[in-house]
Amino acid sequence: MKEKTSTHVKKIKFTLSYTSLALILALYYATIVNIPLYSEFYKILSKLDNVHVSFIFAIPTFIFLLNAILFNLLSWPFLGKPIFILLLITSSMVSYVMLYYGINVDYGMIENAFETDPSEAASYLNLHSITWITIMGVIPSLLVAFAPMKPGLALLKKSVVLVVLFSLLLALLFFTYKDFSSVGRNNKYLKKMIIPGFYVYSTLNYIHDTYLTTPMTFKHIGEDATLTADVATEKPTLFFFILGETARSQNYALNGYAKNTNPYTEKQGVISFQNVHSCGTATAVSVPCMFSQQGRHDYDKERSYTQDNVMDILQRAGVSLLWKENDGGDKEVAKRIPKIEIDTSHKNQFCNGSTCLDMSLLQNLDSEVSSMKGKEKLVVMHIMGSHGPTYYLRYPKDQQKFLPDCQSSEIENCSIDQIVNTYDNTIVYTDYVISQAIDKLKALSDQYNTALFYISDHGESLGENGVYLHGVPYAVAPAFQTTVPLILWMSDGFKKSKKINEQCLKNEAKRGGFSQDYVFSTLLGIMDVKTDAYNKNLDIYHPCRT
C-alpha cells in the first residue's frame, strides 16, 4: 500500500528593513513629492540655449541621494515611522502650496503658519487641497504605518549604505558641479524648494528661536512720554487707525487703478499716498514691525516682542486706547492694552459662525468709545480685509461689484480675471467699511477732533508670473506684495487743532516714498506725545504742521 505524504508550504512573510524603507521613501520624494521643484527647473532650463541631458537626469538623482541620506539617518526602530508619517503629511501640504500658489515655505512662512488663527488656516482647505493631501500624504502615511518591519536594526548595513550614498552624491556633484553651480548661482531660491529639506530646516530654526531660546530682557522705551496737548481746554482727539489685511496699492482707484475700487472714500475727501512700502510680506512680520521702533532693515522679531511698542508709549503718556480685532490676532502688539476680539462663532448679519465681515468692527463702536477713559482716544481696528484664498467670503453679495468672480477657495481652478474680480470686490468692501468709519467720526465731530488713518499690512500676488497670495521673501518679493495703500481723512476741527496744511499733505502723498517705518513716530506725533523715542523725520504729518 502506497503511503500518502503530506507537504507543508512555508509562507514567506514580506518584511522591510529600515534602510529599505528609507530608500523607498527617498525614491517617492525624488519622483513625486518634488514636482514643484522640477516644474521650476523646467521653466529655467527651457530658457537656456544648451542643456546637457546628463544634467536633466542628475537633478532627480541628486534629490534621491540627498533624501536617501537624510531618511537613513532618521530611520530607527520606534522613531522612524512617526517621523516619516509627519514628513509625508507636511510635505504634501508644502508641495501643494508651492505648486499651486508659487509660495516657497521658508522661515517666514513657517512663522506665519504657526501664528495663523485656526479659522484663517481653514480657509486654505478645499476639495482640491484635501484630495491632494490625501493622495500625496495620507495614503503613503498609512502604507508606512502598516508596513511590516524586520526586527532590530542592521547597523553595519546602514553604515555601508550611507557610505555608498555619500560616495555617489560626491561623484554626482563632481561631474555636474558646473551645471548645478551655474543654475544655482542665478536662482538661489531653488534650494528653498527642496522637499523636505528646507522647510524642515526652517521649522527647526523657528522652534529653536521661539521655544528653546532664553527670552531677551524686556526693554522699556519712551519712559519720558507725556501729552503736550492741552486736553483741559481743547476739544479732545478721536483717532481711528484701521489696520488693513492683504491689500495691495496697485488695485486702488485712488492710486490710478482703472477699475473704480474706491467708490465710497473718493467722496469723503481722503488723501491717498503713493508708493508706500510694507515692512514684510506676511502679517506675522509687518504688524509687529510697523508698531515697533525698529525699521524694516533693523527689525528683529524677538526684540520687537520684548520691548515697548508705540501703543505702550501712547498708553503711558495718557492716551486712551482700544484695539478691536477681526483678523485672528494682534501679533502681541495689543498685549498690554484694552482689546476686544470679534466673536466669529456668532451668526448674524455680519457673521456666519466661522468668520465675520469687517462691518462687525463698527458694531457697538459708539458706546465703546464713550466708555474709554481719558480724553485723547485712539481706536485700532484690525480688519480681515482681502485675506485669501477665500476672497469671496470677505464681502457680502450686495458688494459683488465685479463679475464673474471666484466663489471658491480653489483659486487655482479659477481664471485670472475671476480671481482679480473677487479680490477687487474685497477692496471695494474695505472701502465701504472705511467710509462708514468716517461717517461715524463725522457724527462725533461735535465732541472730538476726529481723523482716520488706514494702512494695509502687506500686499498680494494674484497670479502674476505664476505667484499667488503672499509671503515671498522680501528680497525677491514682487512689488504687488510689498506696496500697500495708505489713506488719511481729517475733520476740519482736527486739521485746525493740529495746525495741518492739507495741501502740503496732498503734495507729500503724491511724492510718495513712505513706508511702515513711519507708523511709530506718526502716531506719537499726531497724538501730541513728547518723547525721546519720537523721530520727526519719520512722522508723515510733521512737515505739514505749521
Side-chain angles (χ1 to χ4, degrees):
M1 190 173 184
K2 192 174 181 180
E3 293 183 3
K4 292 184 178 180
T5 58
S6 59
T7 58
H8 298 279
V9 179
K10 187 178 181 181
K11 293 183 178 180
I12 301 175
K13 186 178 180 181
F14 174 76
T15 57
L16 277 175
S17 68
Y18 282 93
T19 300
S20 300
L21 178 62
L23 294 175
I24 292 170
L25 286 173
L27 183 62
Y28 175 62
Y29 271 77
T31 55
I32 305 296
V33 179
N34 275 281
I35 286 176
L37 174 64
Y38 302 144
S39 175
E40 193 63 26
F41 262 111
Y42 175 78
K43 294 176 185 177
I44 294 169
L45 298 182
S46 62
K47 295 177 182 178
L48 301 179
D49 295 330
N50 185 28
V51 180
H52 294 290
V53 176
S54 59
F55 179 55
I56 296 175
F57 285 102
I59 296 168
T61 305
F62 172 76
I63 299 300
F64 168 76
L65 293 172
L66 200 65
N67 281 331
I69 293 169
L70 172 64
F71 294 160
N72 265 288
L73 292 173
L74 296 174
S75 60
W76 301 93
F78 306 111
L79 291 176
K81 281 192 175 185
I83 292 173
F84 291 145
I85 289 171
L86 179 62
L87 285 177
L88 285 165
I89 298 295
T90 54
S91 294
S92 65
M93 297 176 181
V94 170
S95 65
Y96 181 83
V97 299
M98 286 174 61
L99 185 62
Y100 289 102
Y101 297 144
I103 297 173
N104 292 337
V105 183
D106 58 2
Y107 187 99
M109 286 303 299
I110 294 297
E111 177 184 36
N112 211 35
F114 270 87
E115 299 181 11
T116 294
D117 179 76
S119 62
E120 186 178 308
S123 66
Y124 291 88
L125 295 177
N126 51 59
L127 181 61
H128 193 207
S129 63
I130 291 173
T131 301
W132 178 280
I133 293 168
T134 301
I135 295 174
M136 295 279 288
V138 175
I139 293 175
S141 294
L142 291 174
L143 294 175
V144 169
F146 293 106
M149 305 302 297
K150 290 180 180 178
L153 182 67
L155 284 175
L156 180 60
K157 179 181 178 182
K158 178 186 281 289
S159 301
V160 171
V161 169
L162 282 171
V163 170
V164 171
L165 290 171
F166 268 115
S167 301
L168 290 173
L169 182 62
L170 290 174
L172 179 71
L173 292 175
F174 177 81
F175 289 107
T176 59
Y177 176 77
K178 181 180 178 181
D179 296 303
F180 273 112
S181 62
S182 175
V183 174
R185 191 181 300 113
N186 296 320
N187 304 277
K188 294 183 178 179
Y189 65 91
L190 285 173
K191 67 180 181 181
K192 297 182 179 182
M193 298 186 71
I194 299 175
I195 304 174
F198 197 80
Y199 87 82
V200 170
Y201 169 78
S202 300
T203 301
L204 293 175
N205 276 346
Y206 174 82
I207 292 172
H208 174 268
D209 294 346
T210 307
Y211 304 107
L212 304 177
T213 302
T214 303
M216 291 182 178
T217 303
F218 195 92
K219 180 182 178 182
H220 291 291
I221 59 175
E223 292 185 288
D224 59 337
T226 56
L227 273 174
T228 60
D230 188 353
V231 296
T233 59
E234 294 181 5
K235 187 190 295 184
T237 297
L238 175 59
F239 194 93
F240 283 177
F241 186 103
I242 298 183
L243 176 55
E245 171 65 52
T246 321
R248 68 188 207 180
S249 179
Q250 292 87 346
N251 287 53
Y252 269 62
L254 292 171
N255 296 334
Y257 188 49
K259 293 157 71 174
N260 187 12
T261 51
N262 301 112
Y264 302 102
T265 57
E266 69 174 357
K267 300 174 183 177
Q268 296 281 19
V270 300
I271 301 173
S272 182
F273 282 67
Q274 311 292 312
N275 197 30
V276 179
H277 299 288
S278 66
C279 189
T281 60
T283 307
V285 174
S286 287
V287 171
C289 179
M290 77 169 82
F291 286 94
S292 77
Q293 192 181 37
Q294 303 173 83
R296 180 175 71 83
H297 296 290
D298 302 320
Y299 176 70
D300 176 80
K301 174 190 172 184
E302 187 179 5
R303 173 46 68 196
S304 74
Y305 279 29
T306 54
Q307 75 176 26
D308 289 323
N309 58 53
V310 69
M311 306 307 287
D312 298 314
I313 299 173
L314 288 167
Q315 182 168 252
R316 182 179 299 127
V319 178
S320 185
L321 302 175
L322 174 63
W323 184 289
K324 296 196 73 175
E325 180 63 51
N326 189 40
D327 193 31
D330 59 89
K331 308 307 177 187
E332 298 201 14
V333 174
K335 187 175 183 179
R336 294 169 290 276
I337 67 171
K339 181 173 67 172
I340 296 173
E341 295 192 47
I342 301 300
D343 189 347
T344 58
S345 65
H346 289 168
K347 288 189 177 182
N348 52 43
Q349 61 176 323
F350 298 127
C351 303
N352 62 12
S354 61
T355 185
C356 292
L357 296 171
D358 287 323
M359 274 299 294
S360 61
L361 287 163
L362 301 187
Q363 285 187 304
N364 307 314
L365 189 55
D366 291 344
S367 61
E368 289 161 354
V369 169
S370 297
S371 64
M372 293 171 69
K373 297 178 180 179
K375 290 190 174 182
E376 302 293 285
K377 299 177 180 180
L378 189 152
V379 179
V380 178
M381 287 175 273
H382 190 188
I383 66 175
M384 183 66 80
S386 304
H387 201 291
T390 51
Y391 303 122
Y392 71 102
L393 294 179
R394 309 298 170 230
Y395 55 90
K397 292 292 183 181
D398 61 1
Q399 293 290 356
Q400 208 171 4
K401 304 296 184 184
F402 303 108
L403 295 170
D405 58 359
C406 179
Q407 289 288 312
S408 170
S409 63
E410 300 179 39
I411 58 174
E412 65 274 11
N413 295 327
C414 294
S415 68
I416 295 295
D417 286 342
Q418 287 177 306
I419 295 170
V420 172
N421 282 340
T422 315
Y423 182 82
D424 287 343
N425 286 336
T426 69
I427 301 297
V428 171
Y429 184 64
T430 294
D431 195 65
Y432 172 74
V433 173
I434 295 171
S435 180
Q436 290 295 300
I438 291 172
D439 284 343
K440 281 194 173 292
L441 289 172
K442 287 180 177 179
L444 293 169
S445 290
D446 59 333
Q447 303 174 49
Y448 304 94
N449 292 317
T450 57
L452 179 144
F453 187 112
Y454 164 77
I455 189 170
S456 183
D457 57 353
H458 53 77
E460 184 88 326
S461 289
L462 300 174
E464 297 86 5
N465 298 315
V467 179
Y468 294 86
L469 305 178
H470 54 267
V472 172
Y474 203 98
V476 295
F480 296 114
Q481 294 190 28
T482 60
T483 312
V484 296
L486 192 166
I487 294 172
L488 304 182
W489 175 86
M490 302 168 289
S491 68
D492 291 336
F494 183 87
K495 287 181 283 189
K496 184 178 179 181
S497 69
K498 303 293 183 180
K499 298 180 174 61
I500 294 174
N501 183 323
E502 185 174 13
Q503 186 56 51
C504 171
L505 265 184
K506 289 180 179 179
N507 293 338
E508 289 290 297
K510 289 180 181 178
R511 178 177 65 84
F514 295 94
S515 72
Q516 290 175 346
D517 291 359
Y518 284 75
V519 169
F520 182 91
S521 287
T522 294
L523 289 180
L524 291 175
I526 204 61
M527 297 306 293
D528 293 315
V529 173
K530 182 180 179 181
T531 171
D532 288 340
Y534 169 77
N535 182 350
K536 69 179 182 179
N537 296 320
L538 293 175
D539 179 354
I540 289 173
Y541 294 98
H542 179 264
C544 301
R545 296 182 71 178
T546 55

